Amino acid sequence: MNLSSHLHLLQAAVPYLRLGFDPCVVIIGSKNVPAPGPGAAAYSAAKAGLTQLGRVAALELGKDGIRVNTLHPHLVVDTAAWTPEVLAARAEQYGLTVEEYQRNNLLGVEITTRDVANAVLALAGSSFAKTTGAQIPIDGGSDRVV
C-alpha cells in the first residue's frame, strides 16, 4: 500500500501533469529511508521503494517539465495513527518518555502535520521551481543521518 498505490496514482496522473502549468509531484517518504529503526522493516522497505519510484519518475518526467521531489518527515504524531498507546509503546522501546520521543531530534522539536504541509507547499511553489529529484528531510535533524 505504501508503494503500489502511489505507483498507480502517479501512472494515472502523468497524462494530466503533462498538460499542467508548472506541474510537480511531492512524495511523502520517511526518515526511515536514510535511517530505519528496529521493528519497521516492511514500512521502511516500502518507503525506500517509494523514494526510488520518485527518483526514477524525476528522471523520466523531467523532459516534460514535471518536477518530482520527496520529503522525508520523522515522527509526525498528530495523526490518528499515533494513538497514546502506540506512542507510549514506541517511546518505551527507545527508553524515552513520550515527550522525549516526540522531540527526539537534534533541534529538540516536534514535527507536525502543519510542518509537513508547509514543506509540500514550498516544494510545489516557485521557490523550488528548478528542483527535481531532491530528497528533503523534515525531521529536526537526525544524528543517524547528519
Side-chain angles (χ1 to χ4, degrees):
M1 184 88 147
N2 271 322
L3 176 56
S4 58
S5 61
H6 295 72
L7 171 64
H8 297 302
L9 179 60
L10 185 58
Q11 288 171 330
V14 165
Y16 301 101
L17 289 166
R18 286 188 172 122
L19 299 173
F21 175 76
D22 192 25
C24 71
V25 174
V26 179
I27 292 174
I28 305 300
S30 171
K31 182 275 311 178
N32 281 27
V33 172
Y43 175 81
S44 297
K47 288 296 189 173
L50 181 57
T51 298
Q52 191 71 348
L53 173 66
R55 295 174 71 202
V56 172
L59 289 167
E60 293 178 353
L61 299 175
K63 68 184 181 310
D64 296 317
I66 301 169
R67 300 178 291 120
V68 182
N69 295 295
T70 303
L71 285 175
H72 291 302
H74 173 53
L75 193 61
V76 182
V77 299
D78 63 335
T79 67
W82 287 96
T83 65
E85 297 79 20
V86 169
L87 193 53
R90 292 294 289 174
E92 183 179 348
Q93 182 179 2
Y94 286 91
L96 301 170
T97 67
V98 169
E99 294 76 23
E100 291 169 335
Y101 183 65
Q102 287 177 280
R103 299 172 184 275
N104 188 20
N105 54 62
L106 297 176
L107 295 176
V109 296
E110 184 176 333
I111 308 303
T112 67
T113 52
R114 180 177 295 268
D115 298 323
V116 175
N118 285 334
V120 169
L121 290 173
L123 277 174
S126 61
S127 295
F128 288 89
K130 297 182 180 179
T131 301
T132 194
Q135 296 181 49
I136 301 171
I138 180 162
D139 60 3
S142 171
D143 62 351
R144 294 172 44 213
V145 177
V146 171

